[in-house]
Amino acid sequence: MFDSAVPGLKAKRIQVFICCFMQYAMLHSCRSTWSFTSGLLAKQDDHEHDDEKIDDFDKKYLGYVNFSFLFVYGSSMLFLGQIGDRIGPKLFMLCGTFSTGIIQFMIAALLPVEKHNRWLLLVLQILNGISQAPAWPGLMAIMNNWQSKPNKMIVMGYFAACTNVGNILGDLFAALLIEQLGMSVMAPIYVSSIGVLIMSIINIYMIEASSAKEYIAQFKNPLTKSLVYKQAHDEYMSRAASVVSVSEQSYLTDLSQTLLTVDRDSQMNPHVPPKPKKNKKDSINMISAWKLPNVALYAFAFGCIKAVFYILAFWLPSYLKGENLEGVAWITQMIEWGTIPGGILICYAGVHWNLRASLIVPSLWIGTVVMVSINFLSKLEQPYALYYILVFLTGLLIGGVYNNVSGAIVIELSNMKELKGNKKSTATVTSVVMGYGAVFAAINQLIVPYLESILFLYCSLNAIVAGCFLIPLIINEYRRYREQNLQVGDAQ
């Protein structure tokens, strides 16, 4: 997966992978620790933490706070990418991670002191959204510039687990510090913020600002001045594997969307010579993008799936607490343990069979049955084992879909005849789909407080609707799969 004929490059790739993985995992742990802590603070009938609660901090106010964070986070990711292009991906990423660690620490330190100031938390979470936005595109640009083209899809499939590992770490912090040791509800936030700052300091020295292309270029024949490893260097000079800018990554807000960096035509038809270059097409604007075939359907589908993911991420601990369950942090973890293998399995299937939507839609609908079942577990006595199993299956089916659906949509968009060979327009349409998804997920944070008793039923409704909107994706995918088989048969 990281192999290379160039001396030392394999070690460099592994080093970059581990450092980027742990950096984003620690950053994501800040979200899961906040999810657990905010659920405790917003629970009105729980008097265990009354001395730490903030005035008028109810679930409706929590919905406004989560909405503000997600909306600002998504908006900032789109607009801050150009700054990253100017200062470089490493510095851009570190600015975001350092500021995130500081703001998270401020949230934990100031909220117990300023209990009567409702606006303080709102302002801090808005700043938190801005601070976290540079981390993702910066890390993605670094990863793309070091990983090889042939193995990039597999590497990114494994890398997709960093968000889930981060959530697991956050749940572990909460379980150990609050549920086991009885410490302050702010203790996990302190730990996660310090973890982000420590990883940021480590990555100042461990992540290099250069790229694999520049590293390979160091190996030159002293007599001829030509590259010793020219074949390896050409891999990074190709169109699909050249150095990636931060602003390009800002359009692709999920790990699996980095599949765009791989030339799909060369994968599907490895023996077909490259097509001659065509004249550049005019780019399209945001309004025209909505008029393209199926773009609105894909946007609505992605919005529903992203809404389900963030509803579970922010509200699952609060829902389980409302069911008067013990060991909530351990149950919450199961969704992450399911998402990791679910995401990797769909990624592998997509790489080997080029069939993503055909797996995504059935997974969504089966996951719907699982979520509906969870909603009725409260009627059973001591249903702890069922909670662990069904929450795990929700992660396996719904979480695995979330880690891959964006890649399936982006690949479909890049194959549209209206966008073929037009990279700038593809990025515009992609930003429309992903931008709508972020906004819809944020708006749902305002709806959930009114529907928390039927949380999983509402998530199930979103999953069903998303699957219906993705049916055209299955049809187009099947057509391409059949055409590919026909081409292979003709070649033989």
Side-chain angles (χ1 to χ4, degrees), residues 25-39 104 132 163-175 178 188-189 192 312-314 317 329 332-333 336:
M26 290 309 305
L27 185 139
H28 226 271
S29 71
C30 294
R31 300 186 190 180
S32 54
T33 52
W34 167 250
S35 174
F36 191 90
T37 295
S38 62
Q104 288 288 134
Q132 291 194 25
T163 57
N164 309 115
V165 171
N167 289 337
I168 291 171
L169 288 174
D171 291 332
L172 278 174
F173 297 154
I178 298 177
I189 300 180
S192 60
L312 296 177
F314 280 98
T332 304
Q333 280 185 39
E336 310 301 335

Side-chain angles (χ1 to χ4, degrees), residues 61 65 68-69 72 99-100 102-111 114 117-132:
Y61 177 67
V65 170
S68 302
F69 168 77
V72 173
S99 58
T100 296
I102 293 170
I103 291 172
Q104 288 288 134
F105 195 91
M106 290 175 63
I107 289 174
L110 293 179
L111 288 190
E114 296 288 336
N117 191 345
R118 297 182 74 220
W119 294 102
L120 176 64
L121 177 59
L122 196 61
V123 171
L124 287 175
Q125 285 289 25
I126 289 173
L127 294 175
N128 194 22
I130 298 172
S131 298
Q132 291 194 25

Side-chain angles (χ1 to χ4, degrees), residues 251-474:
Y251 287 111
L252 309 179
T253 59
D254 283 289
L255 282 160
S256 53
Q257 291 165 32
T258 53
L259 303 181
L260 268 181
T261 56
V262 179
D263 187 352
R264 181 175 173 83
D265 289 334
S266 64
Q267 254 197 342
M268 293 177 61
N269 306 300
H271 302 296
V272 178
K275 297 178 181 179
K277 291 184 177 179
K278 298 180 181 180
N279 295 329
K280 290 185 177 180
K281 300 178 182 179
D282 295 332
S283 60
I284 62 175
N285 56 40
M286 292 274 188
I287 297 175
S288 300
W290 282 100
K291 300 177 182 178
L292 293 176
N294 297 329
V295 167
L297 290 179
Y298 298 153
F300 296 151
F302 183 71
C304 290
I305 296 170
K306 195 175 185 72
V308 172
F309 181 83
Y310 275 103
I311 287 171
L312 296 177
F314 280 98
W315 294 93
L316 182 58
S318 176
Y319 173 84
L320 295 175
K321 277 286 183 182
E323 299 297 325
N324 298 315
L325 297 172
E326 296 180 1
V328 167
W330 303 107
I331 298 175
T332 304
Q333 280 185 39
M334 299 311 297
I335 201 165
E336 310 301 335
W337 287 112
T339 299
I340 293 172
I344 292 174
L345 286 173
I346 294 179
C347 177
Y348 264 103
V351 170
H352 291 291
W353 299 324
N354 280 314
L355 294 175
R356 291 178 180 85
S358 302
L359 295 173
I360 285 172
V361 174
S363 296
L364 275 176
W365 288 343
I366 297 172
T368 297
V369 177
V370 174
M371 289 191 291
V372 169
S373 302
I374 294 176
N375 201 80
F376 296 102
L377 285 183
S378 59
K379 297 181 179 180
L380 303 177
E381 292 184 8
Q382 300 295 321
Y384 283 96
L386 287 175
Y387 268 111
Y388 278 99
I389 294 170
L390 294 180
V391 172
F392 174 84
L393 290 176
T394 300
L396 184 73
L397 298 167
I398 303 297
V401 165
Y402 176 76
N403 279 357
N404 287 275
V405 66
S406 48
I409 292 174
V410 168
I411 288 174
E412 175 61 29
L413 292 175
S414 65
N415 279 280
M416 291 175 62
K417 62 180 181 181
E418 294 87 352
L419 301 177
K420 278 264 187 177
N422 195 339
K423 183 179 179 181
K424 194 170 183 179
S425 291
T426 302
T428 300
V429 177
T430 301
S431 68
V432 166
V433 174
M434 305 308 157
Y436 170 82
V439 171
F440 187 74
I443 292 173
N444 270 267
Q445 297 298 313
L446 302 175
I447 300 173
V448 171
Y450 300 94
L451 303 172
E452 193 183 11
S453 61
I454 54 170
L455 181 74
F456 282 96
L457 290 180
Y458 181 66
C459 289
S460 300
L461 177 63
N462 275 288
I464 292 172
V465 172
C468 293
F469 284 147
L470 287 176
I471 289 176
L473 202 65
I474 296 180

Side-chain angles (χ1 to χ4, degrees), residues 77-305:
M77 190 176 288
L78 288 175
F79 294 112
L80 292 179
Q82 295 179 354
I83 298 176
D85 289 339
R86 295 187 179 184
I87 67 175
K90 178 182 175 180
L91 181 58
F92 185 60
M93 177 270 294
L94 288 174
C95 287
T97 55
F98 271 113
S99 58
T100 296
I102 293 170
I103 291 172
Q104 288 288 134
F105 195 91
M106 290 175 63
I107 289 174
L110 293 179
L111 288 190
V113 178
E114 296 288 336
K115 293 183 179 180
H116 308 292
N117 191 345
R118 297 182 74 220
W119 294 102
L120 176 64
L121 177 59
L122 196 61
V123 171
L124 287 175
Q125 285 289 25
I126 289 173
L127 294 175
N128 194 22
I130 298 172
S131 298
Q132 291 194 25
W136 182 255
L139 286 169
M140 285 300 93
I142 293 169
M143 284 289 295
N144 270 293
N145 292 339
W146 278 98
Q147 303 306 323
S148 66
K149 174 185 172 182
N151 297 321
K152 190 174 291 185
M153 294 176 72
I154 301 297
V155 171
M156 291 305 175
Y158 283 105
F159 193 79
C162 69
T163 57
N164 309 115
V165 171
N167 289 337
I168 291 171
L169 288 174
D171 291 332
L172 278 174
F173 297 154
L176 294 174
L177 298 177
I178 298 177
E179 295 185 341
Q180 300 297 322
L181 300 178
M183 297 177 67
S184 166
V185 293
M186 296 297 172
I189 300 180
Y190 277 119
V191 174
S192 60
S193 63
I194 292 171
V196 172
L197 292 173
I198 290 174
M199 277 306 307
S200 300
I201 294 171
I202 292 173
N203 285 336
I204 291 176
Y205 306 100
M206 296 299 290
I207 294 180
E208 297 185 18
S210 59
S211 66
K213 182 179 70 175
E214 294 166 341
Y215 180 83
I216 296 170
Q218 297 174 3
F219 296 87
K220 293 184 178 180
N221 189 313
L223 300 177
T224 63
K225 302 297 182 182
S226 61
L227 291 172
V228 176
Y229 300 98
K230 187 176 184 303
Q231 184 178 7
H233 185 268
D234 288 343
E235 177 185 311
Y236 295 92
M237 293 300 291
S238 65
R239 177 183 66 81
S242 58
V243 175
V244 178
S245 68
V246 175
S247 58
E248 286 175 335
Q249 290 302 324
S250 297
Y251 287 111
L252 309 179
T253 59
D254 283 289
L255 282 160
S256 53
Q257 291 165 32
T258 53
L259 303 181
L260 268 181
T261 56
V262 179
D263 187 352
R264 181 175 173 83
D265 289 334
S266 64
Q267 254 197 342
M268 293 177 61
N269 306 300
H271 302 296
V272 178
K275 297 178 181 179
K277 291 184 177 179
K278 298 180 181 180
N279 295 329
K280 290 185 177 180
K281 300 178 182 179
D282 295 332
S283 60
I284 62 175
N285 56 40
M286 292 274 188
I287 297 175
S288 300
W290 282 100
K291 300 177 182 178
L292 293 176
N294 297 329
V295 167
L297 290 179
Y298 298 153
F300 296 151
F302 183 71
C304 290
I305 296 170

